[in-house]
Amino acid sequence: MDKKTILLLVISVLILLGMLYFVGIDQVIAALKMANLYLIALAIGVQVCTYFLYTFRWKILNKIAGMDVSFKKLFPMLLVGLAVNNITPSGRGGGEPVRAYLLYRDKEEYTFDETFAAVVADRALDTFPFVILAAITISSMALFFDFELWLLAVMVLSVVVILAILFAIIYMCINPSFGNRVEGWILAIVRKFYKKNSESVENSIHDAIVGFQHTMIVLMSNKKGLAYTLTISFVIWAFEILRVYLVFSAFGANVNLIVIGEVFIVSCLVGMIPLLPGGLGTVDGLMILLYSAAGIPASVSAAATVIERLISFWMATMLGMAVLPYYGSSVLNQISFTDSPEEIEEIVESQSNE
């Protein structure tokens, strides 16, 4: 783990500790002591189920794209990807190139472009239900929460941007000429900011876009596969909200499931801003504030948020880091904490030339 990542994690933890100190650590500890361990164990079980659902969806997408990989192979790769997502300030996208690389390295009959395209398609499918839930959440929270106008505008703008990107991704697969224009825009940006090995990077981007278009076209033409994967995506988000509800129920908090879902979706929006690893600190603080605003005592909100983040953030991080030595190589150490698929592609190419 590089120094920058460690520093950001330390800052994130300090922010969380500051929030707990502000609430009152003694009160938080008292709330933790009264927690229902059975419900917390159930929340952990729900989280483990989401790992399996993530893996199952990825397996279906790989199969549609012509890559038949076993669940047993994909599951540890997914855990590593989740861990890298959590410890890199990459808007929850740093782990996607890493798991694509791990699959490429494990199954050398597939190219990196193919594995990366399937991972990007997997991420797009995860985004679709999130956009719908976020739009509903912001609409309802505007009615039930006394938000500042600027904050509401930022949330609306965030959803609009995500929705625009999602539709652009789908449209570029349906309309090849639009895909070419998107590629041209990306390459123009790359030429401005990426001087070293520009041609290699441009070729990598072209191959990734073409591979992604092919994968998405195959997926969209497979109605049965699309229905399965979209259904799994909605179930995953339902499980995520259920996990949070179980944690708060463990502390005896009388809170509506809809309010839990609303705060969770808003927190996810904030967590996608690439400032701190996994939104740690900022997301925790926002959750405590919003749940307190919904009528839950601050000490209970803080205690429940700590347990919830231990399950959703730290459990995935620890499991992924525990699995990482299984793939132990100096090359993986170089790419584990990067959020640039182009940089990974350079490593892939250098390996091929050796």
Side-chain angles (χ1 to χ4, degrees), residues 133 237-246 257 260-261 264-265:
L133 291 172
W237 280 100
F239 271 38
E240 296 271 16
I241 295 171
L242 176 61
R243 180 196 67 237
V244 183
Y245 178 76
L246 287 171
L257 181 60
I260 290 285
F264 177 74
I265 294 297

Side-chain angles (χ1 to χ4, degrees), residues 222-234:
N222 189 321
K223 301 292 191 298
K224 187 176 181 180
L226 185 60
Y228 277 151
T229 50
L230 277 175
T231 300
I232 291 172
S233 297
F234 278 101

